[in-house]
Amino acid sequence: MIEAHRRECEARDWLRKGYTTAVKVDELMARIAERRGYQAANELREEMRRQWARRREWMEADLP
């Protein structure tokens, strides 16, 4: 549970920092994989995708 929350927060942080293109995310994942392994990088990538989808839902909900 705590690990999932940490990953959600980290994913949102990277997205806020502008890691929103395939090239930038690939570069980030390579750095994460170097430090924490490929599994951790893949889990973070999946969480970033989930957070991006949630953001899209929030943005659409705000439209009149």
Side-chain angles (χ1 to χ4, degrees), residues 15-39:
L15 290 169
R16 275 192 299 269
K17 289 179 179 177
Y19 288 84
T20 57
T21 66
V23 173
K24 286 181 119 177
V25 171
D26 287 344
E27 291 170 359
L28 174 63
M29 292 304 117
R31 289 196 331 249
I32 298 293
E34 262 183 48
R35 295 180 189 161
R36 300 192 318 227
Y38 286 103
Q39 181 177 351

Side-chain angles (χ1 to χ4, degrees), residues 2 5 8-9 11 16-17 22 25 29-30 32-34 39 45 47 54 57-58 60-62:
I2 293 172
H5 178 69
E8 289 173 7
C9 292
R16 275 192 299 269
K17 289 179 179 177
V25 171
M29 292 304 117
I32 298 293
E34 262 183 48
Q39 181 177 351
R45 182 189 301 264
E47 187 58 41
R54 289 182 70 192
E57 290 170 9
W58 297 331
E60 290 171 359
D62 287 343

Side-chain angles (χ1 to χ4, degrees), residues 38-55:
Y38 286 103
Q39 181 177 351
N42 288 333
E43 289 171 358
L44 179 59
R45 182 189 301 264
E46 289 304 314
E47 187 58 41
M48 288 175 75
R49 287 177 175 154
R50 278 191 289 277
Q51 293 300 320
W52 190 257
R54 289 182 70 192
R55 177 189 177 277

